[in-house]
Structure formats: structure tokens, C-alpha cells
Amino acid sequence: MPFKSTDENITGGKDFPDLYYEEDNLVSLTIDRQKVRVEKGMTILEAARWMGIKIPTLCYHEGLTPWGGCRLCVVEVIKRGRSKLEASCTYPVAEGIQVKTNSEKVQKTRRMIVELLISSCPNSRTLQDLASGMGITEIRFKMEDNDCILCGLCVRMCKEQMMSGGIGFINRGAKREVSTPFHKSSEICRGCGACMYICPVVTLQCRGRREPGDLCNACINVCPTDFGF
Amino acid sequence: MDIDKIIDENKGLKIPLIPVLLKIQEIEGFLSESTIRHVSRRLSIPLSQVFGVATFYSAFNLKPSGVNKICLCEGTACHVKGSTRIREKLERILGVKPGETTKDGIFTFTTINCMGACAMGPIMKIGTEYFGKMTPGKVDSIIKEYISP
Amino acid sequence: MVKIKSPEDLASLTAKLQKEKNTEEICITVCMGPGCLTCGSQKVLESLKEEIKKRDLQEKVQIKETGCHGFCQKGPILLIKPAGIFYQQVIKRDIPEIITETIINNRIVERLLYVDPILNSKIIKEKDVPFYKSQYRLVFGDNSLIDPHKIDDYISLGGYSALAKALFEMTPVQVMEEIKNSGLRGRGGGGFHTGRKWESCRNAPSPDGVRYVICNADEGDPGAFMDRGLLEGNPHRVIEGMIIGAYAISSNEGYAYVRNEYPLAVANLNIALELAREYGLLGKDIMGSGFDFDILVVQGGGAFVCGESTALMASIEGKRGEPRPKHIHTSERGLWNKPTALNNVETWANVPIIIKKGAEWFSQIGTERSKGTKIFSLVGKINNTGLVEVPMGISLRDIVYKIGGGIPDGKKFKAIQTGGPSGGCLPEELLDLPVDFDELTKVGSMMGSGGMIVMDENTCMVDIAKYFLKFLRDESCGKCVPCREGLKRMVQIIEDITEGKGEPGHLELLEELTQTVKEASLCGLGKTAPNPVLSTIRYFRDEYEAHIMDKKCPALVCKNLIEYSIDELLCTGCGSCKRACPVMAISGEKLYPHTLDMEKCIKCGICLEKCPFDAIKIS
Ligand SMILES: Cc1cc2nc3c(=O)[nH]c(=O)nc-3n(C[C@H](O)[C@H](O)[C@H](O)COP(=O)(O)O)c2cc1C
Ligand code: SF4
Ligand code: SF4
Ligand code: FES
């Protein structure tokens, strides 16, 4: 029977090649119906990206400790028959789990997260692009005009890569912000600009023509192939 | 200085920061900028971390508080029994929102999530004195007692 | 104090204390729990001491200050033993009479007795009061027998004998198995099997052998105070449980994380720890067994999220109390990345009982999958407010009506809220549901740590949902987007609804949003935050619709949807309301019906309270 419509057939029935060959250090799992064996200690995100599967992220960066705050990278993890949404950037691969990186539930959740973020921070090009790519055409919440999505990249960049610690999170809940102590310029800040470099809001301001505070959606027509998710 | 003594006493702990801040606040009533800077230096903890901790927990005040601390319980039990209207009344006659101090420095108005005495709700506390089964109408006379010397 | 160096030492001390205890001697017990303290039990105690001294009765009468007895509604409470006479709502002025009548002349002061609201009869003994009669006070019962500052009180009741049994007659694995077999589930909210948690903690690798035990006394649930009652009233039981737990998982270091708002609990716990150390029940070489263990009390900083296990650990480590992903359980990698057994106060307090009486005995109490008893703080619109302990499996109806005595002022019951901000509101139809971890979860609420808030017809369910959402928005740590942004938006939507700006699509948007917050949030706070909204939409949808469609608040709570007016027929023109109104919205001549200007009215409700003739109406 050449075209059995089983799970294997859809992906060609072939397992993905192993990442490393140190046998006792491998974990096997299934990501989007493909069996794969990867090194223990990797996260699902790393494994998926290595396989070429795209998972959008905001608060993740290769050079920094994973934080798991934005929840954009959620995937469905099925473990012992129970399915749960988990942040792939922090979830370590585990023997026998099944992962769905793009199921309907995942997409729906990601769309809601982007909608939530963009309604409070509409000037970010990164967010506008994500919104276009996901086909979000309407924001149902009251528009605000903040300029930080609290992804914490700058805080970790400053501490982990620049070995400083000039900025940090202050307050909690809806009042949380990134700031220097006492909102004054920090004594230990060297002005290296790494925080600005890594920020998904400040560096990439959306340039599309639009009223401030709206969804842009301009790029949808400009660059139709560029959106992977 | 007292602060140094507290720091020295607690330096041996594995976890000195929060206990030290709590104790300093107990003595000084609030955490001033210079205190926080001093603690950061003495404990060798980055200032951004100390400041982050001091702003995270609601137990810490970064501003000096008034002579009398009015504390209204807004726990579920008190809410069900009508603490919202008491809060509105207090806001109106004091002219401040929760967490603020009146201009004359007589009152600091705060709310709390539960005093653990739900049976007597709604509960208000001024200093160490409790006022149970509060109503908006009772507020005026209670406050008046604290204004006149 | 002599050190206790062996189980025999403990046994002989217990025997000695029991013998010394003169059962004939009169003992007046004064409840110094939080409820009674707010109604002035401190003054009662002082005048009691004075009076006894004045009449030179010190030899004959003993006074005992105890923690909370549970019946806070009727505080301050006095209990006179050995007769077991129960006096309620005692004030300072009553004391001389009590001494003359009851202590000296052996007569009862009728006026201070509890009156059964249904039978209208006076009840003399504590054990006959209906509030206590339907309870099963396994963990909480000793509170009225113990002065928390005296370790001897606890030991004379057989305290620390479970510890002796565990240390000398059982191996750590046996202790763990015993707890596992008892079916004890965590009382902190999630209902996780305690024995299984200990097992995974015990088996988790720790290269340097360091493991921790933690007692979670953060009790952030607004409207709940059972952990406080236990910790302030009977700290040794919690300490004993922790030592046994530490022995089972082989840990030498324990922490008790106590909520910032409970300074008395911190103080009592510290005193209790010091006394236990002096007796050699804590510290190095406990009871001569060679096992070392000590406990440090850590005071919290006032943040609800610090009740969550990983946030609590971050807080102990001196950091901001932000949760971290729990893909690896804290029992394997917790405090300072070491295996950690974290349990709630009440869970720890159950441990000595199980060890003493055996798993089999314990597992006979309760239901199939929920064993033992649970303490609830029964508050809100209910006649008998206070702390109640019931066996699992009892119906909610029994708690509300048999123990709680029903709803005051003849009002109608509307809903019962369990599980605090993470739980849900259940309607009248579900009152026959048994108290059981799984049953409550099934209907969209949860057992939670034990808050139980009763609501009557004058409570607006949308307002309650708004209350919890606002609470959670302010208490969320703000780390992850669904919780921080999602809750902010949910509050905005529900505020619109209560302000009469609700639109038809709002409910659906709210439901969609709750789905994301529930599934995508990082920690338990966000994952359970939608429960109050979901459960109120599920059971009280018509009330939401009334707010959105008809712009009406059926319970007459939401300010923007109600109006005050004066009933001309009832108004006598006394002018009380006019004088009280802060914005002078009421006018009228003396002795003639007054009128209320809706334009000026700020709906503060003071006129309603002041009017002696009930002439102010809300619609
Ligand atoms: C937001 C949040 C708040 C919590 N608050 C408390 C609390 O106040 N007290 C408590 O014992 N457990 C609380 N918990 C549950 C703890 O995380 C933990 O599950 C529990 O202490 C474990 O002990 P147990 O197994 O004895 O229940 C909370 C959980 C969450 C998610
Ligand atoms: S400033 Fe930029 S990098 Fe820093 S947390 Fe905000 S959005 Fe992220
Ligand atoms: S769910 Fe809420 S409390 Fe928990 S990590 Fe996220 S923002 Fe913080
Ligand atoms: S990228 Fe994983 S949570 Fe942000």
C-alpha cells in the first residue's frame, strides 16, 4: 500500500537523524510527529529550532538564560496522555514526550498573547510583524501607549553579558517596570547601549504609515513570504 | 549608627537582605534612598537588586509615613460586608488614596488584604487600635478623635 | 530545664506533667486569638488577673491564655474548667460577676451563655454548642487546652511522643510509607499527596546530601486565617510535624515562611522553637537519637504570590518573589536547587497525628480520595463566623447551616466561595456537594487552603469576580504576559460591565481571554486566576447579562447601576440624612418629606445608614 495515511507517512516516515551519538546522553521524543533523539538538557525550543521548526519567541535570546516570561513560545506537550501548554524555551526535553509546536490551541494562544502585547505597546515593529504574520486584524482591548513589554532581555543582557547590573525590574504586577535604582542614572552603567541593542521595542519602531496606537498590518502586502508563523 | 548594628547582627545569615530591610524599617519607619544604598554597599548586593526587592514586597515603604497609620482590611470577608464604601469615605475625607499620606502628615492610609480577623469585618485599624463592624457613618467620629490633640 | 535525652525521658516527663495537672483545680481559659483580640480579650484578661489577685484566689484559680478556639463571632470567649462552662461576648465589666457567681458561688451567669438561635435555649457547656457539635476537631481541638507559650502544656497532652516513635521505632522510609498510606493530601491548595512528595524528595539526588523542609505559612488568601490560628495557638504540633518530615527525607535544615502580617505568629513560633531547643527536641542530637535538625523562621514581605512554592523559595533566597518554571519539581530541585519538601502548616500539623495513631486509623476519616479533616475559615454573610474543622466528605450545606447557623437577617443564600482567589463560587444547587479535593475541582472551584466565604442575595457576583480579579492583578508578580496583561484586561472589561458600559461581545471576549490566561500562564497564580470569573459566568450568567443588557445590578451593589431615592411616605423629615450627606444632595424642610438630588448624589450610602425610618431606597 503506497499511500497509507498514517502519521509516519505525512512526514515521509523517516526519523530525524540524532543530534549527537553519545548514546546514554540522548533523549528521544516526538516533535510535530517526527521522532528525534537529542542531547539531555536541551530545551524543546532548541531541539525544534535545530530541526528547522520555527517557534516565535520574544523574551528568549541564545546568549542569555531562558526566562519564560512572554509565553509566546508555548507548545503543546503531551505527557502520559495529558496535554498541556508549556513554554518551549524553558522546558527541558524528556524521554517519550510528544510535542506539537503549531496546533490550533497553540496558535490561538499565541494570537491572544500578541494581541495583548500589541494593545499595550503598539509601536514595536517586532510585535506588528508578528501580528501581521498571524493574521491578527483587530485589537479588542483599549489601546495604550507603553514602550516596554517587560521581556527582560535588557535586564539579563546588562547582567549576564555586560557584567553590570545597572537596570533591573521594580514593582510587581501591572505596575512592574524596568528601571534604574530610584529612577536615577545608575552609577555602574557604562553607557554601553547593549540594552537598547537587544530591546524588541526601542530599536525596531514600526515605520508604517498609521495613526499612533493602531494595528499596522502594512507589511502584510509588502512581503508576503516572509512570515513563517 | 543603628543600621550598621542590624546589618552586622544579620550578616551571618544565609539570607540577610529581606530580614535586614524589615528590621531597619521597623526602627526607622521607612526605607530612605540613603539607607537602601548603604545596605547595598554593606551587604555587597547590587543596588538594582536591593531596590527591586524593596519595591516588590508591599511590606516596604519607601516614603515616610504619617503619625497615625490607618489600615483598612479589604479581605474577601470584609469586602462582602461592604468595606468598599468605607474606603471611599476615607478617601474622601482624607483626600488621599490608599498608600498615601495626608499633606499635614497626620495620617497614612493603607489597605491590607486580610487582617485575619474576618469575623468582625469590616475592620479598620488605627495604630494598634481595632475598630470592628465598621460603617461609613462611623468613620467621621473616629477620625476626629485622632485629629484633635 | 533538663534536656530530654531519650524516649524514656519524654515519657516520664509526660507522666509527671499529667500527674501534676490537678483536674479539680479551676482553670479559666481566655481565648487570645485574632478574632477575640479585636473585640478586646486583652482587657478581659487583664481585669481577670487583677480581680483574681484582689480576691486572693491565685492558689485556687489558674488562668490560661490560649490561641483561637474557632468561634470568633462570639468573642471574647471564656471557658471555665473543669465544669466546661462556655461564656461568650464577655467584656471587662462582666469579670467581677463571673468571679463572684461562678467561681465562688458555683452559679451560672445566664446572661453570658450562648443562646441557640433555633431552639432559643441557653447552652451551658462548650461541647453542646451546635457550632462545635458538628465539627471534628482533630487538629484544631487542642487549641483551647494549650498556652502556646508553654511547651509543657503540649507535652502533657502527649506532644512529641509521635516524634519519639518515629525516631526510635521507625526508619525514615517507614515514616514516609506511613504518611503515604494514610492518604494525606496537602492542605495548601493543590491537594498533592504528601507521602509521594516526600518520596520524590527523598529519592532525588543531592550530591552533598543537603535537603530542606519548608513550612508554608504565607496564607495570602484574603478571608482565611486557619494557618494563623494553628501557628499562633499550637505551634509545637507544626514543629513536631516538621521534625518528623525532616527525619523521613533526611534533612537537617528547615524554614518556616510566615506571612508578614502575622507578627504574633512569628513571635509565638520563635518562642516555641526556643523552648523545644532547650528541651533538646530540636537542634543537635534530638532526644539522643543522633538526628540533627533545626528550623529558622523567615518573615515574608507581604506578597500573595510568595505562597507559590518557587516564589516562596526565591523569597527565602532574598530575591524578588517571582515564580520560575516548575518543569522539574521543587521536591527535586527547590531551595538553592536542593531537593525540598514544602508543605502547608495544616499538612505539617497532621503528621504527628498520623504517626501516633497510624495510617490505618487516619485513613478511615474522610472520603475515598480525601482523607482526614480540613479546617475552614467560615466568613462572610453567615451567623457563626469562625474557624471550623470538619471531616472530609461533609456536605457544604451542613457547614453552612448546621455549623454556620445559616444566613443572618433572614436573607437568602446565594453562593459559597471556596479556594480563595484561585477558587470559584458555587450556587445553592451544589450545596449538597461533599467537601473533597476532586469533587470541588470538578465543579470549577477548589478546596484551596480553606477560605470559605458565604454570600447572600445582597452580594453581586460580578462585583465579587471583579474583586478577585483586582486582587490578583495587584498581587501577580507580573513576570509573564498572560497573567500580567491578561488580568489587566479582564479587570478593564469587567469594570466596564459593572459601570454600565458593557457590550454584547464582552462575555465571549472574557471567556476567550480566561482560556489563554489559564493555559499559558507560568505559575499557579495565573493558571487559576480565571476561576472566580469562569465559575460566576457558569453559575450566574444571568447576572452578567443583566449588567450588560439591562444595565442593572440585581443585587444593588454596583454603584453606577443603582440610584438612591427617598420614600415620601416613610420620610418623617427628621433631617438625619440631610446632615450626613457629604455633598449636600438632600434638601427639604424639617418635618416635611425630603428630596434627593440625583445629579449631586455620589452614592456613598451614608444617608441609607443614617435614616432611622428606612425611608432611603435603592433601585
Ligand atoms: C498563587 C499561589 C498562592 C499560594 N498560597 C499558598 C498559601 O498561602 N499557603 C499555602 O500553604 N500554600 C499556598 N499555595 C500552594 C503552594 O504552592 C504549595 O502547593 C503548598 O504550600 C504545598 O503544600 P501542601 O502540599 O501541604 O499543600 C499557593 C499556590 C499558589 C499558586
Ligand atoms: S526595555 Fe525592551 S528589552 Fe527591556 S524589558 Fe522592555 S521591551 Fe524588553
Ligand atoms: S502567572 Fe502571574 S504570578 Fe505567576 S509568573 Fe506569571 S505573572 Fe507571575
Ligand atoms: S520565548 Fe519562551 S517564554 Fe518568552
Side-chain angles (χ1 to χ4, degrees):
Chain A
M1 232 186 289
F3 291 111
K4 269 196 309 185
S5 72
T6 61
D7 277 4
E8 285 101 88
N9 259 42
I10 294 170
T11 58
K14 256 198 168 163
D15 291 349
F16 222 82
D18 297 350
L19 180 53
Y20 295 112
Y21 290 101
E22 275 176 47
E23 275 299 325
D24 45 334
N25 222 9
L26 288 181
V27 175
S28 69
L29 67 159
T30 318
I31 301 184
D32 288 348
R33 293 175 173 165
Q34 301 185 69
K35 278 218 177 96
V36 61
R37 296 210 294 171
V38 294
E39 203 183 10
K40 234 186 227 162
M42 274 177 107
T43 60
I44 293 182
L45 180 71
E46 284 164 339
R49 287 205 168 159
W50 171 71
M51 290 164 71
I53 297 170
K54 277 193 182 171
I55 295 177
T57 58
L58 271 173
C59 72
Y60 174 81
H61 195 282
E62 281 93 346
L64 305 173
T65 344
W67 198 56
C70 73
R71 317 305 284 174
L72 190 65
C73 67
V74 285
V75 294
E76 230 181 305
V77 175
I78 301 162
K79 198 173 158 185
R80 287 187 223 110
R82 281 184 52 198
S83 148
K84 261 189 183 170
L85 287 185
E86 299 279 2
S88 61
C89 69
T90 52
Y91 201 100
V93 289
E95 189 65 42
I97 56 171
Q98 266 185 53
V99 179
K100 291 187 192 165
T101 68
N102 211 10
S103 67
E104 197 169 322
K105 192 154 128 198
V106 167
Q107 287 182 15
K108 224 173 121 189
T109 308
R110 285 189 193 147
R111 268 206 295 274
M112 181 55 95
I113 287 172
V114 171
E115 190 177 338
L116 280 169
L117 280 175
I118 214 165
S119 61
S120 82
C121 206
N123 284 326
S124 160
R125 163 85 195 271
T126 315
L127 287 178
Q128 291 283 0
D129 283 354
L130 279 167
S132 304
M134 291 174 175
I136 298 171
T137 51
E138 183 204 7
I139 299 290
R140 291 164 292 178
F141 306 113
K142 293 190 180 125
M143 277 293 182
E144 288 173 3
D145 207 3
N146 303 328
D147 47 18
C148 175
I149 56 167
L150 299 166
C151 68
L153 282 174
C154 55
V155 175
R156 276 172 288 152
M157 186 72 171
C158 179
K159 192 167 151 203
E160 294 172 12
Q161 293 292 344
M162 297 302 139
M163 304 306 165
S164 178
I167 46 174
F169 282 119
I170 63 166
N171 299 335
R172 69 161 184 246
K175 295 205 186 81
R176 175 189 276 251
E177 44 180 314
V178 170
S179 173
T180 53
F182 306 101
H183 306 282
K184 292 177 181 166
S185 65
S186 159
E187 285 150 25
I188 52 174
C189 172
R190 303 187 297 270
C192 68
C195 49
M196 301 247 280
Y197 161 77
I198 205 163
C199 178
V201 181
V202 175
T203 46
L204 285 173
Q205 292 260 326
C206 185
R207 301 263 180 253
R209 247 183 294 131
R210 65 195 173 85
E211 297 289 312
D214 266 339
L215 255 188
C216 172
N217 277 170
C219 311
I220 278 185
N221 305 322
V222 182
C223 199
T225 56
D226 204 20
F227 304 110
F229 3 96
Chain B
M1 208 159 110
D2 273 350
I3 299 180
D4 279 317
K5 223 174 102 200
I6 295 172
I7 295 175
D8 288 334
E9 273 169 16
N10 289 282
K11 236 181 161 172
L13 290 182
K14 247 198 254 181
I15 33 169
L17 181 56
I18 295 174
V20 163
L21 291 179
L22 279 172
K23 285 207 181 97
I24 294 178
Q25 176 164 294
E26 218 168 88
I27 293 169
E28 308 221 312
F30 75 110
L31 300 173
S32 69
E33 182 172 336
S34 61
T35 312
I36 292 182
R37 286 183 191 274
H38 189 73
V39 169
S40 149
R41 223 171 300 129
R42 286 287 319 273
L43 292 176
S44 320
I45 299 172
L47 187 59
S48 54
Q49 191 187 334
V50 181
F51 188 64
V53 165
T55 53
F56 185 89
Y57 296 102
S58 51
F60 298 121
N61 309 321
L62 299 189
K63 278 183 250 149
S65 51
V67 187
N68 298 302
K69 282 190 205 137
I70 303 183
C71 187
L72 179 72
C73 179
E74 295 224 287
T76 323
C78 290
H79 177 83
V80 170
K81 289 190 174 173
S83 68
T84 312
R85 288 202 290 134
I86 299 164
R87 191 194 67 224
E88 285 163 0
K89 169 94 190 185
L90 280 166
E91 282 174 2
R92 209 162 49 238
I93 62 174
L94 297 173
V96 292
K97 294 249 173 269
E100 295 172 355
T101 303
T102 50
K103 275 209 195 79
D104 53 14
I106 295 183
F107 294 107
T108 295
F109 176 32
T110 52
T111 58
I112 189 174
N113 285 333
C114 184
M115 272 187 215
C118 311
M120 306 310 296
I123 287 206
M124 183 172 93
K125 191 172 120 186
I126 303 186
T128 52
E129 199 168 345
Y130 289 92
F131 302 91
K133 308 218 160 122
M134 284 292 299
T135 61
K138 287 191 194 166
V139 172
D140 282 312
S141 56
I142 294 175
I143 296 290
K144 228 173 255 158
E145 257 173 51
Y146 282 84
I147 296 176
S148 51
Chain C
M1 243 184 211
V2 273
K3 277 220 181 255
I4 297 172
K5 293 208 191 70
S6 66
E8 292 75 34
D9 282 2
L10 180 73
S12 63
L13 177 65
T14 312
K16 190 178 125 226
L17 290 171
Q18 276 166 355
K19 218 161 99 200
E20 272 172 18
K21 204 159 53 176
N22 184 351
T23 42
E24 294 299 301
E25 190 187 36
I26 297 173
C27 174
I28 306 180
T29 306
V30 189
C31 174
M32 302 294 276
C36 289
L37 271 179
T38 35
C39 352
S41 64
Q42 185 69 40
K43 282 188 195 137
V44 170
L45 178 76
E46 276 161 20
S47 75
L48 190 63
K49 279 184 178 161
E50 226 169 77
E51 198 67 29
I52 299 268
K53 210 164 146 199
K54 216 162 68 190
R55 308 210 191 178
D56 220 9
L57 288 170
Q58 288 109 313
E59 295 293 303
K60 262 183 73 189
V61 180
Q62 203 196 345
I63 301 174
K64 189 171 269 186
E65 303 165 40
T66 70
C68 182
H69 297 195
F71 205 175
C72 307
Q73 180 79 28
K74 297 290 172 195
I77 287 174
L78 283 195
L79 204 58
I80 301 176
K81 281 179 211 162
I85 301 166
F86 176 73
Y87 286 149
Q88 41 103 42
Q89 295 186 321
V90 179
I91 51 172
K92 206 173 135 189
R93 257 183 293 138
D94 299 327
I95 297 297
E97 191 180 344
I98 293 179
I99 302 285
T100 324
E101 288 293 306
T102 312
I103 306 294
I104 299 180
N105 295 332
N106 240 329
R107 278 197 298 256
I108 305 264
V109 185
E110 296 261 332
R111 163 170 64 84
L112 296 173
L113 290 179
Y114 176 76
V115 182
D116 188 321
I118 299 161
L119 302 174
N120 229 346
S121 60
K122 291 193 168 155
I123 295 172
I124 300 173
K125 302 217 163 155
E126 185 193 32
K127 63 175 180 10
D128 298 326
V129 175
F131 175 79
Y132 290 114
K133 226 155 93 187
S134 310
Q135 294 189 40
Y136 187 169
R137 295 160 52 95
L138 180 64
V139 178
F140 207 63
D142 288 351
N143 263 30
S144 58
L145 306 174
I146 287 177
D147 180 341
H149 292 172
K150 296 197 178 127
I151 189 169
D152 285 351
D153 278 4
Y154 182 63
I155 292 180
S156 75
L157 293 173
Y160 287 105
S161 62
L163 176 63
K165 182 173 171 192
L167 289 178
F168 294 96
E169 294 166 31
M170 298 166 88
T171 63
V173 176
Q174 276 172 338
V175 173
M176 194 187 75
E177 288 295 330
E178 196 73 15
I179 298 296
K180 232 167 99 183
N181 294 338
S182 73
L184 176 67
R185 291 172 73 174
R187 305 294 195 238
F192 200 78
H193 283 273
T194 307
R196 257 188 252 158
K197 192 191 270 182
W198 290 9
E199 185 172 38
S200 99
C201 181
R202 193 185 157 76
N203 295 339
S206 168
D208 50 2
V210 176
R211 290 186 170 77
Y212 297 107
V213 294
I214 303 180
C215 171
N216 186 347
D218 194 48
E219 194 158 68
D221 175 356
F225 53 106
M226 11 346 106
D227 291 352
R228 175 185 192 169
L230 262 178
L231 217 49
E232 284 182 7
N234 197 353
H236 286 289
R237 172 162 282 166
V238 181
I239 296 172
E240 188 181 358
M242 284 179 77
I243 308 175
I244 295 173
Y247 175 68
I249 66 157
S250 77
S251 148
N252 305 107
E253 215 173 310
Y255 292 89
Y257 188 87
V258 188
R259 184 169 180 230
N260 176 269
E261 286 86 344
Y262 293 172
L264 190 61
V266 174
N268 281 4
L269 190 58
N270 269 323
I271 293 173
L273 288 171
E274 200 41 56
L275 291 173
R277 274 184 210 117
E278 277 174 24
Y279 261 145
L281 297 169
L282 196 66
K284 288 236 169 301
D285 191 17
I286 293 174
M287 267 196 247
S289 66
F291 172 64
D292 306 336
F293 178 69
D294 212 331
I295 299 171
L296 184 72
V297 178
V298 179
Q299 199 168 354
F304 172 67
V305 65
C306 285
E308 199 276 340
S309 49
T310 54
L312 185 147
M313 289 168 195
S315 180
I316 294 185
E317 290 168 12
K319 301 189 199 131
R320 290 162 57 87
E322 286 168 14
R324 57 169 176 74
K326 261 202 293 197
H327 310 307
I328 298 174
H329 273 291
T330 51
S331 52
E332 287 170 38
R333 207 181 290 167
L335 191 59
W336 286 296
N337 284 329
K338 301 288 178 210
T340 305
L342 170 85
N343 283 111
N344 169 260
V345 174
E346 202 185 325
T347 317
W348 287 121
N350 268 298
V351 169
I353 300 173
I354 295 171
I355 296 298
K356 197 148 101 191
K357 304 212 171 179
E360 203 174 316
W361 179 86
F362 185 83
S363 63
Q364 279 162 5
I365 312 167
T367 60
E368 175 73 35
R369 299 192 53 216
S370 306
K371 301 291 183 198
T373 59
K374 177 80 194 89
I375 307 176
F376 287 102
S377 81
L378 188 60
V379 292
K381 304 273 186 73
I382 184 125
N383 273 321
N384 302 336
T385 334
L387 293 180
V388 305
E389 183 174 354
V390 290
M392 301 272 188
I394 188 176
S395 73
L396 291 169
R397 190 180 297 280
D398 281 352
I399 299 184
V400 173
Y401 289 99
K402 272 199 190 147
I403 300 175
I407 318 295
D409 309 328
K411 292 263 163 60
K412 238 180 86 194
F413 171 91
K414 187 183 221 171
I416 185 162
Q417 209 274 353
T418 62
S422 318
C425 298
L426 303 178
E428 167 99 52
E429 303 91 87
L430 292 173
L431 263 187
D432 289 312
L433 213 69
V435 167
D436 176 297
F437 286 103
D438 310 295
E439 294 288 330
L440 287 175
T441 312
K442 239 187 265 165
V443 292
S445 182
M446 64 185 238
M447 179 82 89
S449 55
M452 190 172 267
I453 294 124
V454 182
M455 300 164 195
D456 68 5
E457 52 190 320
N458 290 6
T459 316
C460 168
M461 299 318 285
V462 186
D463 180 68
I464 289 296
K466 179 171 86 173
Y467 167 79
F468 281 118
L469 280 182
K470 275 186 160 174
F471 172 84
L472 289 162
R473 177 196 62 186
D474 295 341
E475 291 297 329
S476 145
C477 83
K479 176 174 177 174
C480 70
V481 174
C483 174
R484 182 187 71 233
E485 301 292 328
L487 285 174
K488 184 172 89 187
R489 298 306 182 177
M490 274 154 78
V491 171
Q492 282 178 359
I493 296 172
I494 218 162
E495 268 181 345
D496 275 355
I497 294 179
T498 56
E499 282 167 15
K501 291 184 244 160
E503 286 164 21
H506 270 162
L507 270 189
E508 288 68 34
L509 180 57
L510 210 52
E511 278 173 327
E512 197 184 325
L513 199 49
T514 53
Q515 209 55 38
T516 302
V517 177
K518 199 173 173 157
E519 283 173 353
S521 288
L522 193 161
C523 84
L525 189 147
K527 282 189 204 300
T528 55
N531 282 351
V533 183
L534 282 174
S535 66
T536 44
I537 295 186
R538 181 162 157 196
Y539 299 117
F540 301 94
R541 199 178 183 102
D542 50 341
E543 227 168 287
Y544 278 86
E545 279 162 359
H547 281 77
I548 298 174
M549 304 298 176
D550 316 334
K551 311 284 178 219
K552 286 220 168 69
C553 175
L556 305 175
V557 172
C558 299
K559 252 174 108 173
N560 289 39
L561 305 180
I562 55 171
E563 279 187 356
Y564 285 85
S565 61
I566 298 177
D567 187 334
E568 279 180 27
L569 295 177
L570 292 174
C571 178
T572 61
C574 73
S576 301
C577 55
K578 190 172 148 188
R579 279 192 298 277
C581 178
V583 289
M584 291 184 269
I586 298 176
S587 53
E589 267 178 58
K590 222 164 173 57
L591 301 179
Y592 290 96
H594 285 36
T595 48
L596 198 155
D597 182 357
M598 272 318 300
E599 296 278 289
K600 284 189 191 158
C601 174
I602 52 166
K603 297 171 186 168
C604 68
I606 291 189
C607 50
L608 182 77
E609 185 192 328
K610 291 280 170 179
C611 178
F613 306 102
D614 290 332
I616 310 273
K617 299 283 172 222
I618 320 176
S619 57

